[in-house]
C-alpha cells in the first residue's frame, strides 16, 4: 500500500488526508500543533461516521479508512512514503524549512508537493538539494468535495515528478490540470476579475451587493454571485490571494485590491465564518450588510453597443442596460484574464476552462464562452471598456487583440 505524508492538519491537510485514505493510501498526518492534530483526527472520525450514517460507506470501510490515518507531531520516520503533500501556513520561510526536513526524512524517490495557493513552487524549492522532485499539487476547499487539483510544474521540477503527481491525482478520482508556476496559477488568477470588478462596481455606486450578485447568478448562470462567494471563502483569505497576486504581478491595475474589502477585513467582518461580511448572517436569510452609495454614470453609445453584442452573444437576452454593464464588466474581466493566462502559456485553453468549472463552479469555461461570443466581439467590448476606465486593466490579451 502507498503511503503519503500530509504536513499540516488544518482545513486543507485534514481534507487531503481524507481523500488519500478513501483512495486506499496510508496517511501520516503531521502537525506541530498537537491541539490541531487531535481535533483533525476527531473531525475525520466524525466525517467517516457521517458518511457511514448516510449510507455512502459501509461500517467496515468507515473504520478502515479512519485507521489508515496515523497522526504524528513531527516530520520524522518517513522512509516508507512515496509522496508528501505540504499544507501548512502560507509562509515561504516556514515552507522552505519543511521541504528541507522532508528531503532528509523521505526516500529520494518520493515526490514532494506543496498545496500553496499563492507562493512560487520554485521559491519554495530554493535551498532544497533535489528541487527537481518538488512540484505543486493545489487542491481546493473542501478537498474531499472539490474535484480540481492544479498540478504545478516549476522551472526546477522534472517531468517525471510532475507526471507522477498528475497520475496520483487521477488515481484519487480528482480532475488534475497542468499549470506553470506563475502567480495565482490558473484559478486564483482568472477568478480575480470576478471579485475585483464586482467590488469596483460597488465602489462606483453602480449597483448594490445584492443586485450585482443577482445579475451574475440570473443572467450569467453562476452558482453564486461574487459577494456571496467572497463571504463563503472568507474575506481575509480572498484579500490575501488578491494582494499576493497583485504584488507578484508588479502591481498591475487588473489586480489592485479594493478598499471596501480591506476595510471589512480590518473590522473583522470576514464573511460567513464571523456572521457578517458583505451580507449579515444573523437571520436565516442573509441580508446585505453594506449599502450602495449610488452615483449616476455615463455609458458612451459605442460602449452600449459593445455591451449589447457581448451580452446577447454570451446568451444574455433579457437584461436591461445597467445589468448588461455589470455583466459585461465582470465577465469581460474574467474572459480577458483567461485569455491573458493562455497567451502567457500558463496552461492550455482546455485546462483553463476545466479549472474554472471544477475549481470554482463556473457555468462555462471562460475561453469556451469567448469562442461562442466571438473573439472580435470580446475585443470590441474590451476596447470600449478600456476607453471608459482610467487605468490599463481592460487592455485586451493577445488572444483577443490579435483576433482576425
Ligand atoms: N483554506 C483554503 O481554502 C486553501 C485552499 C487551497 C490551498 N490552501 C493552502 O493550503 C495551505 C494550508 O492552508 P489551510 O487553510 O489548511 O491552513 P490552516 O491554518 O487551516 O492549517 C495550517 C496548519 O499548518 C500547521 N503548521 C504550521 N507550521 C507547521 C510546520 N512547520 N509543520 C507542521 N505543521 C505546521 C499549523 O499548525 C496549522 O494547523 C496554505 O498553503 C494555503 O495557501 C488553502
Amino acid at each position: 500500500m502507498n503511503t503519503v505524508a500530509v504536513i499540516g492538519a488544518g482545513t486543507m491537510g485534514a481534507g487531503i488526508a481524507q481523500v488519500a485514505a478513501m483512495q486506499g493510501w496510508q496517511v501520516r498526518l503531521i502537525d506541530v500543533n498537537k491541539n490541531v492534530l487531535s481535533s483533525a483526527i476527531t473531525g475525520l472520525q466524525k466525517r467517516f461516521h457521517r458518511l457511514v450514517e448516510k449510507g455512502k460507506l459501509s461500517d467496515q470501510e468507515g473504520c478502515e479508512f479512519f485507521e489508515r490515518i496515523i497522526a504524528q507531531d513531527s516530520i520524522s520516520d518517513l522512509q516508507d512514503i512515496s509522496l508528501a503533500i505540504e499544507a501548512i501556513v502560507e509562509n515561504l520561510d516556514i515552507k522552505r524549512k519543511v521541504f528541507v526536513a522532508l528531503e532528509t526524512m523521505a526516500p529520494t524517490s518520493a515526490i514532494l508537493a506543496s498545496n500553496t495557493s499563492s507562493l512560487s513552487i520554485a521559491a519554495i524549492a530554493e535551498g532544497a538539494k533535489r528541487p527537481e522532485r518538488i512540484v505543486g499539487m493545489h487542491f481546493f476547499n473542501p478537498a474531499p468535495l472539490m474535484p480540481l487539483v492544479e498540478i504545478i510544474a516549476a522551472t526546477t521540477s522534472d517531468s517525471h515528478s510532475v507526471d507522477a503527481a498528475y497520475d496520483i491525482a487521477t488515481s484519487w478520482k480528482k480532475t488534475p490540470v497542468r499549470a506553470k508556476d506563475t502567480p495565482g496559477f490558473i484559478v486564483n488568477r482568472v477568478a480575480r476579475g470576478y471579485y475585483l470588478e464586482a467590488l469596483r462596481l460597488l465602489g462606483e455606486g453602480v449597483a448594490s451587493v445584492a443586485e450585482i450578485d443577482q445579475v451574475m447568478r440570473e443572467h450569467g448562470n453562476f452558482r453564486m454571485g461574487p459577494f456571496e462567494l467572497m463571504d463563503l471563502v472568507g474575506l481575509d483569505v480572498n484579500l490575501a490571494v488578491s494582494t499576493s497576486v497583485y504584488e507578484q504581478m508588479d502591481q498591475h491595475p487588473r489586480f489592485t485590491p479594493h478598499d471596501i474589502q480591506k476595510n471589512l477585513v480590518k473590522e473583522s467582518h470576514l464573511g460567513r465564518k464571523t456572521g457578517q461580511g458583505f451580507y449579515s448572517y444573523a437571520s436565516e436569510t442573509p441580508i446585505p450588510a453594506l449599502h450602495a452609495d449610488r452615483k449616476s454614470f455615463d455609458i458612451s453609445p459605442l460602449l452600449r453597443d459593445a455591451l449589447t453584442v457581448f451580452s446577447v452573444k454570451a446568451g444574455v437576452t433579457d437584461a436591461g442596460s445597467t445589468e448588461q454593464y455589470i455583466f459585461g464588466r465582470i465577465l469581460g474581466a474574467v474572459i480577458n484574464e483567461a485569455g491573458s493566462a493562455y497567451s502567457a502559456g500558463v496552461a492550455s485553453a482546455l485546462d483553463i476552462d476545466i479549472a474554472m468549472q471544477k475549481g470554482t463552479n463556473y457555468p462555462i469555461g471562460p475561453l469556451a464562452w469567448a469562442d461562442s461570443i466571438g473573439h472580435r466581439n470580446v475585443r470590441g467590448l474590451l476596447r470600449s471598456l478600456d476607453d471608459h476606465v482610467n487605468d490599463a486593466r481592460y487592455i485586451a490579451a493577445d488572444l483577443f487583440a490579435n483576433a482576425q
Side-chain angles (χ1 to χ4, degrees), residues 177-248:
V177 293
R178 294 174 191 270
K180 271 197 197 151
D181 187 19
T182 48
F185 312 131
I186 303 172
V187 172
N188 279 335
R189 170 178 180 160
V190 176
R192 300 273 62 78
Y194 195 62
Y195 307 118
L196 290 169
E197 212 47 38
L199 281 158
R200 291 180 193 121
L201 286 160
L202 177 68
E204 291 163 30
V206 171
S208 68
V209 161
E211 286 163 342
I212 295 169
D213 277 347
Q214 190 179 2
V215 167
M216 297 318 286
R217 267 196 330 265
E218 291 183 5
H219 293 295
N221 285 323
F222 285 83
R223 203 176 289 173
M224 296 179 88
F227 296 105
E228 294 165 317
L229 202 48
M230 281 186 273
D231 271 1
L232 181 70
V233 168
L235 267 62
D236 51 343
V237 172
N238 185 276
L239 177 63
V241 175
S242 290
T243 307
S244 166
V245 174
Y246 175 62
E247 293 303 337
Q248 293 180 73

Coordinates of all heavy atoms in Angstrom, one line a residue, residues 177-248:
V177 N -5.3 19.4 -13.6 CA -4.9 20.2 -14.8 C -3.5 20.6 -14.6 O -3.0 20.7 -13.5 CB -5.8 21.5 -14.9 CG1 -7.3 21.1 -15.3 CG2 -5.8 22.4 -13.7
R178 N -2.8 20.9 -15.7 CA -1.4 21.3 -15.6 C -1.3 22.8 -15.7 O -1.9 23.4 -16.6 CB -0.6 20.6 -16.7 CG -0.5 19.1 -16.6 CD 0.2 18.6 -17.9 NE 0.1 17.1 -17.9 CZ 1.0 16.3 -17.4 NH1 2.0 16.7 -16.8 NH2 0.8 15.0 -17.5
A179 N -0.4 23.4 -14.9 CA -0.2 24.8 -14.9 C 1.2 25.2 -14.6 O 1.9 24.4 -13.9 CB -1.1 25.6 -14.0
K180 N 1.7 26.3 -15.2 CA 3.0 26.8 -15.0 C 3.0 27.5 -13.6 O 2.0 28.0 -13.1 CB 3.4 27.7 -16.0 CG 4.1 27.1 -17.2 CD 4.9 28.1 -18.0 CE 5.2 27.6 -19.4 NZ 5.3 28.7 -20.3
D181 N 4.2 27.6 -13.1 CA 4.5 28.1 -11.7 C 4.4 29.7 -11.9 O 5.4 30.3 -11.9 CB 5.8 27.7 -11.3 CG 6.1 28.1 -9.8 OD1 5.2 28.4 -9.1 OD2 7.4 28.1 -9.5
T182 N 3.2 30.2 -12.0 CA 3.0 31.7 -12.2 C 2.0 32.2 -11.1 O 1.2 31.4 -10.6 CB 2.5 32.0 -13.6 OG1 1.4 31.1 -13.8 CG2 3.6 31.7 -14.6
P183 N 2.0 33.5 -10.8 CA 1.2 34.0 -9.7 C -0.3 33.6 -9.8 O -0.9 33.8 -10.9 CB 1.3 35.5 -9.8 CG 2.6 35.7 -10.5 CD 2.8 34.5 -11.4
G184 N -0.8 32.9 -8.8 CA -2.2 32.5 -8.8 C -2.5 31.3 -9.6 O -3.7 30.8 -9.7
F185 N -1.5 30.7 -10.3 CA -1.7 29.5 -11.2 C -2.9 29.8 -12.1 O -2.8 30.9 -12.8 CB -1.9 28.3 -10.4 CG -0.8 28.1 -9.3 CD1 -1.2 27.8 -8.0 CD2 0.5 28.3 -9.6 CE1 -0.2 27.6 -7.0 CE2 1.5 28.2 -8.6 CZ 1.1 27.9 -7.3
I186 N -3.9 29.0 -12.2 CA -5.0 29.3 -13.1 C -6.1 29.9 -12.3 O -6.5 31.1 -12.5 CB -5.5 28.0 -13.8 CG1 -4.4 27.3 -14.6 CG2 -6.7 28.4 -14.7 CD1 -4.8 25.9 -15.1
V187 N -6.7 29.2 -11.4 CA -8.0 29.6 -10.8 C -7.8 30.9 -10.0 O -8.6 31.9 -10.2 CB -8.5 28.5 -9.9 CG1 -9.8 29.0 -9.1 CG2 -9.0 27.3 -10.7
N188 N -6.8 31.0 -9.2 CA -6.7 32.2 -8.3 C -6.3 33.4 -9.1 O -6.4 34.6 -8.7 CB -5.7 32.0 -7.2 CG -6.4 31.2 -6.1 OD1 -7.7 31.3 -5.9 ND2 -5.7 30.5 -5.2
R189 N -5.8 33.2 -10.4 CA -5.6 34.4 -11.3 C -6.8 34.8 -12.0 O -7.3 35.9 -11.9 CB -4.5 34.0 -12.2 CG -4.3 35.0 -13.4 CD -3.1 34.6 -14.3 NE -2.9 35.5 -15.3 CZ -1.8 35.6 -16.0 NH1 -0.8 34.8 -15.8 NH2 -1.7 36.5 -17.0
V190 N -7.4 33.8 -12.7 CA -8.6 34.1 -13.6 C -9.8 34.6 -12.8 O -10.5 35.5 -13.2 CB -8.9 32.9 -14.5 CG1 -10.2 33.2 -15.3 CG2 -7.7 32.5 -15.4
A191 N -9.9 34.1 -11.6 CA -11.1 34.5 -10.8 C -11.0 35.9 -10.2 O -12.0 36.4 -9.7 CB -11.3 33.5 -9.6
R192 N -9.8 36.5 -10.2 CA -9.7 37.8 -9.6 C -10.7 38.8 -10.2 O -11.2 39.6 -9.6 CB -8.2 38.4 -9.7 CG -7.2 37.5 -9.1 CD -7.0 37.8 -7.6 NE -7.9 37.6 -6.6 CZ -8.4 36.5 -6.1 NH1 -8.0 35.3 -6.5 NH2 -9.2 36.5 -5.1
G193 N -10.8 38.7 -11.6 CA -11.7 39.6 -12.2 C -13.2 39.6 -11.7 O -13.8 40.6 -11.6
Y194 N -13.6 38.4 -11.3 CA -15.0 38.2 -10.8 C -15.2 38.9 -9.5 O -16.2 39.6 -9.4 CB -15.1 36.7 -10.6 CG -16.6 36.2 -10.4 CD1 -17.5 36.4 -11.4 CD2 -17.0 35.7 -9.2 CE1 -18.8 36.0 -11.3 CE2 -18.4 35.2 -9.1 CZ -19.3 35.4 -10.1 OH -20.6 35.1 -10.0
Y195 N -14.2 38.9 -8.7 CA -14.3 39.6 -7.4 C -14.0 41.1 -7.5 O -14.8 41.9 -7.0 CB -13.4 39.0 -6.3 CG -13.4 37.5 -6.2 CD1 -12.4 36.7 -6.5 CD2 -14.6 36.9 -5.8 CE1 -12.5 35.3 -6.4 CE2 -14.7 35.5 -5.6 CZ -13.6 34.7 -5.9 OH -13.7 33.4 -5.8
L196 N -12.9 41.4 -8.1 CA -12.4 42.8 -8.1 C -13.3 43.7 -8.9 O -13.5 44.9 -8.5 CB -10.9 42.8 -8.5 CG -9.9 42.2 -7.5 CD1 -8.6 42.0 -8.2 CD2 -9.8 43.0 -6.2
E197 N -13.8 43.2 -10.0 CA -14.6 44.1 -10.8 C -15.9 44.3 -10.1 O -16.5 45.4 -10.2 CB -14.8 43.5 -12.2 CG -14.9 44.5 -13.3 CD -13.9 45.7 -13.3 OE1 -12.7 45.5 -13.0 OE2 -14.3 46.8 -13.7
A198 N -16.4 43.3 -9.4 CA -17.7 43.5 -8.6 C -17.5 44.5 -7.5 O -18.3 45.4 -7.3 CB -18.1 42.1 -8.0
L199 N -16.3 44.5 -6.9 CA -16.0 45.5 -5.8 C -15.9 46.9 -6.4 O -16.4 47.8 -5.8 CB -14.7 45.1 -5.1 CG -14.8 44.0 -4.1 CD1 -13.4 43.3 -3.9 CD2 -15.3 44.5 -2.8
R200 N -15.3 47.0 -7.6 CA -15.2 48.3 -8.2 C -16.6 48.9 -8.6 O -16.9 50.0 -8.4 CB -14.3 48.2 -9.5 CG -12.9 48.0 -9.1 CD -12.0 47.9 -10.3 NE -10.7 47.3 -9.9 CZ -10.2 46.2 -10.4 NH1 -10.8 45.5 -11.4 NH2 -9.0 45.8 -10.0
L201 N -17.5 48.0 -9.1 CA -18.8 48.4 -9.5 C -19.6 48.9 -8.2 O -20.3 49.9 -8.2 CB -19.6 47.3 -10.1 CG -19.2 46.9 -11.6 CD1 -19.6 45.5 -11.9 CD2 -19.8 48.0 -12.5
L202 N -19.4 48.2 -7.1 CA -20.0 48.6 -5.8 C -19.4 49.9 -5.4 O -20.2 50.9 -5.0 CB -19.7 47.5 -4.8 CG -20.2 47.8 -3.4 CD1 -21.8 47.8 -3.3 CD2 -19.7 46.7 -2.4
G203 N -18.1 50.1 -5.5 CA -17.4 51.3 -5.0 C -17.8 52.5 -5.9 O -17.9 53.6 -5.3
E204 N -18.1 52.3 -7.1 CA -18.5 53.4 -8.0 C -20.0 53.7 -7.9 O -20.5 54.7 -8.5 CB -18.2 53.0 -9.5 CG -16.8 52.9 -9.8 CD -16.5 52.1 -11.1 OE1 -17.4 52.1 -12.0 OE2 -15.5 51.5 -11.2
G205 N -20.7 53.0 -7.1 CA -22.1 53.2 -6.8 C -23.0 52.8 -8.0 O -24.1 53.3 -8.1
V206 N -22.5 51.9 -8.8 CA -23.4 51.4 -10.0 C -24.5 50.6 -9.5 O -25.6 50.7 -10.0 CB -22.5 50.6 -11.0 CG1 -23.3 50.0 -12.0 CG2 -21.4 51.5 -11.6
A207 N -24.3 49.7 -8.5 CA -25.4 48.8 -8.0 C -25.0 48.3 -6.6 O -23.9 48.5 -6.2 CB -25.5 47.7 -9.0
S208 N -26.0 47.7 -6.0 CA -25.8 47.2 -4.6 C -25.1 45.8 -4.7 O -25.1 45.1 -5.8 CB -27.1 47.1 -3.9 OG -27.9 46.1 -4.5
V209 N -24.7 45.3 -3.5 CA -24.2 43.9 -3.4 C -25.2 42.9 -3.9 O -24.8 42.1 -4.8 CB -23.9 43.7 -1.9 CG1 -23.8 42.2 -1.6 CG2 -22.6 44.4 -1.4
A210 N -26.4 43.0 -3.5 CA -27.4 42.0 -3.9 C -27.7 42.1 -5.4 O -27.9 41.1 -6.0 CB -28.7 42.3 -3.1
E211 N -27.8 43.4 -5.9 CA -28.0 43.5 -7.4 C -26.9 42.9 -8.2 O -27.2 42.2 -9.2 CB -28.2 45.0 -7.7 CG -29.5 45.6 -7.3 CD -29.6 47.1 -7.3 OE1 -28.5 47.7 -7.3 OE2 -30.7 47.6 -7.2
I212 N -25.7 43.1 -7.8 CA -24.5 42.6 -8.6 C -24.6 41.1 -8.5 O -24.4 40.4 -9.6 CB -23.2 43.2 -8.1 CG1 -23.2 44.7 -8.4 CG2 -22.0 42.5 -8.8 CD1 -22.1 45.5 -7.7
D213 N -24.8 40.5 -7.3 CA -24.9 39.1 -7.2 C -26.0 38.5 -8.1 O -25.8 37.5 -8.7 CB -25.1 38.7 -5.7 CG -23.8 38.7 -4.9 OD1 -22.7 38.7 -5.5 OD2 -23.9 38.6 -3.7
Q214 N -27.1 39.2 -8.1 CA -28.3 38.7 -8.8 C -28.0 38.7 -10.3 O -28.3 37.7 -11.0 CB -29.5 39.6 -8.5 CG -30.8 39.0 -9.0 CD -31.9 39.9 -8.7 OE1 -31.8 41.0 -8.1 NE2 -33.1 39.5 -9.1
V215 N -27.3 39.7 -10.8 CA -27.0 39.8 -12.3 C -26.2 38.6 -12.6 O -26.4 37.9 -13.6 CB -26.3 41.1 -12.6 CG1 -25.7 41.0 -14.0 CG2 -27.3 42.3 -12.5
M216 N -25.1 38.3 -11.8 CA -24.2 37.2 -12.2 C -24.9 35.8 -12.1 O -24.6 34.9 -12.8 CB -22.9 37.3 -11.4 CG -22.1 38.5 -11.6 SD -22.0 39.1 -13.4 CE -20.9 37.9 -14.1
R217 N -25.8 35.7 -11.1 CA -26.5 34.4 -10.9 C -27.5 34.2 -12.0 O -27.6 33.2 -12.7 CB -27.2 34.4 -9.5 CG -26.4 33.8 -8.4 CD -27.3 33.4 -7.2 NE -28.4 34.3 -7.1 CZ -28.5 35.4 -6.3 NH1 -27.5 35.7 -5.6 NH2 -29.6 36.2 -6.3
E218 N -28.4 35.2 -12.2 CA -29.5 35.0 -13.0 C -29.2 35.2 -14.5 O -29.7 34.5 -15.3 CB -30.7 36.0 -12.6 CG -31.2 35.6 -11.3 CD -32.4 36.4 -10.8 OE1 -32.9 37.3 -11.6 OE2 -32.8 36.2 -9.7
H219 N -28.3 36.1 -14.9 CA -28.0 36.3 -16.3 C -26.8 35.4 -16.6 O -26.7 34.9 -17.7 CB -27.8 37.7 -16.6 CG -29.0 38.6 -16.5 ND1 -30.1 38.4 -17.3 CD2 -29.4 39.5 -15.6 CE1 -31.1 39.2 -17.0 NE2 -30.7 39.9 -15.9
G220 N -25.8 35.4 -15.7 CA -24.6 34.6 -16.1 C -24.6 33.2 -15.7 O -23.7 32.4 -16.1
N221 N -25.7 32.8 -15.0 CA -25.8 31.4 -14.5 C -24.7 30.9 -13.6 O -24.4 29.7 -13.5 CB -25.9 30.4 -15.7 CG -27.2 30.4 -16.4 OD1 -28.2 30.6 -15.6 ND2 -27.3 30.4 -17.7
F222 N -24.0 31.9 -12.9 CA -23.0 31.5 -11.9 C -23.8 31.0 -10.7 O -24.9 31.5 -10.4 CB -22.2 32.7 -11.5 CG -21.1 33.0 -12.6 CD1 -21.5 33.9 -13.7 CD2 -19.8 32.6 -12.5 CE1 -20.6 34.2 -14.6 CE2 -18.9 32.9 -13.5 CZ -19.3 33.7 -14.5
R223 N -23.2 29.9 -10.1 CA -23.9 29.4 -8.9 C -24.1 30.4 -7.8 O -25.0 30.5 -7.1 CB -23.2 28.1 -8.4 CG -24.1 27.2 -7.7 CD -23.4 25.9 -7.3 NE -23.2 25.1 -8.4 CZ -22.5 23.9 -8.4 NH1 -22.0 23.6 -7.2 NH2 -22.3 23.2 -9.4
M224 N -23.0 31.2 -7.6 CA -23.0 32.2 -6.5 C -22.5 33.5 -7.1 O -21.6 33.5 -8.0 CB -22.1 31.8 -5.4 CG -22.6 30.6 -4.6 SD -21.5 30.2 -3.3 CE -22.1 31.1 -2.0
G225 N -23.1 34.6 -6.6 CA -22.6 35.9 -7.0 C -21.2 36.2 -6.4 O -20.8 35.5 -5.5
P226 N -20.5 37.2 -6.9 CA -19.1 37.5 -6.3 C -19.1 37.8 -4.9 O -18.2 37.3 -4.1 CB -18.6 38.7 -7.2 CG -19.8 39.2 -8.0 CD -20.8 38.1 -8.0
F227 N -20.1 38.5 -4.3 CA -20.1 38.9 -2.9 C -20.4 37.7 -2.0 O -19.8 37.4 -1.0 CB -21.0 40.1 -2.6 CG -20.5 41.3 -3.4 CD1 -21.2 41.8 -4.5 CD2 -19.4 42.0 -2.9 CE1 -20.7 42.9 -5.2 CE2 -18.9 43.1 -3.6 CZ -19.6 43.6 -4.7
E228 N -21.4 36.9 -2.5 CA -21.8 35.6 -1.8 C -20.6 34.7 -1.7 O -20.3 34.1 -0.7 CB -22.9 34.9 -2.5 CG -24.2 35.6 -2.5 CD -25.2 35.1 -3.6 OE1 -24.7 34.7 -4.7 OE2 -26.4 35.0 -3.2
L229 N -19.8 34.7 -2.8 CA -18.7 33.7 -2.9 C -17.5 34.2 -2.0 O -16.9 33.5 -1.3 CB -18.2 33.7 -4.3 CG -17.4 32.4 -4.8 CD1 -18.0 31.1 -4.3 CD2 -17.3 32.4 -6.3
M230 N -17.3 35.6 -2.0 CA -16.3 36.1 -1.1 C -16.6 35.8 0.4 O -15.8 35.5 1.2 CB -16.1 37.6 -1.3 CG -15.2 37.9 -2.5 SD -14.8 39.6 -2.7 CE -16.2 40.2 -3.6
D231 N -17.9 36.0 0.7 CA -18.4 35.7 2.1 C -18.1 34.2 2.5 O -17.8 33.9 3.6 CB -19.9 36.0 2.2 CG -20.1 37.5 2.6 OD1 -19.1 38.3 2.8 OD2 -21.3 37.9 2.9
L232 N -18.3 33.3 1.5 CA -18.1 31.9 1.8 C -16.7 31.6 1.9 O -16.3 30.9 2.9 CB -18.8 31.1 0.6 CG -18.7 29.6 0.8 CD1 -19.6 29.1 1.9 CD2 -19.0 28.9 -0.5
V233 N -15.8 32.1 1.0 CA -14.4 31.8 1.1 C -13.7 32.4 2.3 O -12.8 31.9 2.9 CB -13.7 32.4 -0.2 CG1 -12.2 32.4 -0.1 CG2 -14.2 31.6 -1.4
G234 N -14.3 33.6 2.7 CA -13.6 34.4 3.8 C -13.0 35.6 3.2 O -12.1 35.4 2.3
L235 N -13.3 36.8 3.6 CA -12.8 38.0 3.0 C -11.3 38.1 3.2 O -10.6 38.6 2.4 CB -13.5 39.2 3.6 CG -14.7 39.7 2.8 CD1 -15.8 38.6 2.7 CD2 -15.3 41.0 3.4
D236 N -10.8 37.6 4.4 CA -9.4 37.7 4.7 C -8.6 36.8 3.7 O -7.6 37.2 3.1 CB -9.1 37.3 6.1 CG -9.8 36.0 6.5 OD1 -10.7 35.5 5.8 OD2 -9.3 35.4 7.6
V237 N -9.1 35.5 3.5 CA -8.4 34.6 2.6 C -8.4 35.2 1.2 O -7.4 35.2 0.5 CB -9.2 33.2 2.6 CG1 -8.6 32.3 1.6 CG2 -9.1 32.6 4.0
N238 N -9.6 35.7 0.7 CA -9.7 36.2 -0.6 C -8.8 37.4 -0.8 O -8.2 37.6 -1.8 CB -11.2 36.6 -0.8 CG -11.5 37.0 -2.2 OD1 -11.3 38.2 -2.5 ND2 -11.9 36.1 -3.1
L239 N -8.8 38.3 0.2 CA -7.9 39.5 0.1 C -6.5 39.1 0.1 O -5.7 39.7 -0.7 CB -8.2 40.5 1.3 CG -7.3 41.7 1.4 CD1 -7.6 42.6 0.2 CD2 -7.6 42.5 2.7
A240 N -6.1 38.1 0.9 CA -4.7 37.7 0.9 C -4.2 37.2 -0.5 O -3.1 37.5 -1.0 CB -4.5 36.6 1.9
V241 N -5.1 36.5 -1.2 CA -4.8 36.0 -2.5 C -4.7 37.2 -3.5 O -3.7 37.3 -4.3 CB -5.8 34.9 -3.0 CG1 -5.5 34.5 -4.4 CG2 -5.8 33.7 -2.1
S242 N -5.7 38.1 -3.4 CA -5.6 39.3 -4.3 C -4.3 40.0 -4.1 O -3.7 40.4 -5.1 CB -6.8 40.2 -4.1 OG -8.0 39.6 -4.5
T243 N -4.0 40.2 -2.9 CA -2.8 41.0 -2.5 C -1.5 40.3 -3.1 O -0.6 41.0 -3.6 CB -2.7 41.3 -1.0 OG1 -3.9 41.8 -0.6 CG2 -1.6 42.2 -0.6
S244 N -1.5 39.0 -2.9 CA -0.3 38.3 -3.3 C -0.2 38.3 -4.8 O 0.9 38.5 -5.3 CB -0.4 36.8 -2.7 OG 0.5 36.0 -3.4
V245 N -1.3 38.1 -5.5 CA -1.2 38.1 -7.0 C -0.8 39.5 -7.5 O 0.0 39.7 -8.4 CB -2.6 37.6 -7.6 CG1 -2.5 37.8 -9.1 CG2 -2.8 36.2 -7.3
Y246 N -1.4 40.5 -6.8 CA -1.2 41.9 -7.2 C 0.3 42.2 -7.1 O 1.0 42.8 -8.0 CB -2.0 42.8 -6.2 CG -1.7 44.3 -6.3 CD1 -2.0 45.0 -7.5 CD2 -1.3 45.0 -5.2 CE1 -1.8 46.4 -7.6 CE2 -1.1 46.4 -5.3 CZ -1.4 47.1 -6.5 OH -1.2 48.4 -6.6
E247 N 0.9 41.8 -5.9 CA 2.4 42.1 -5.7 C 3.2 41.3 -6.7 O 4.2 41.9 -7.3 CB 2.8 41.7 -4.3 CG 2.2 42.6 -3.2 CD 2.4 44.1 -3.3 OE1 3.4 44.4 -4.0 OE2 1.6 44.9 -2.8
Q248 N 2.9 40.1 -6.9 CA 3.7 39.3 -7.9 C 3.5 39.7 -9.3 O 4.3 39.4 -10.2 CB 3.3 37.8 -7.7 CG 3.7 37.2 -6.4 CD 3.3 35.7 -6.3 OE1 3.9 34.9 -6.9 NE2 2.3 35.4 -5.5

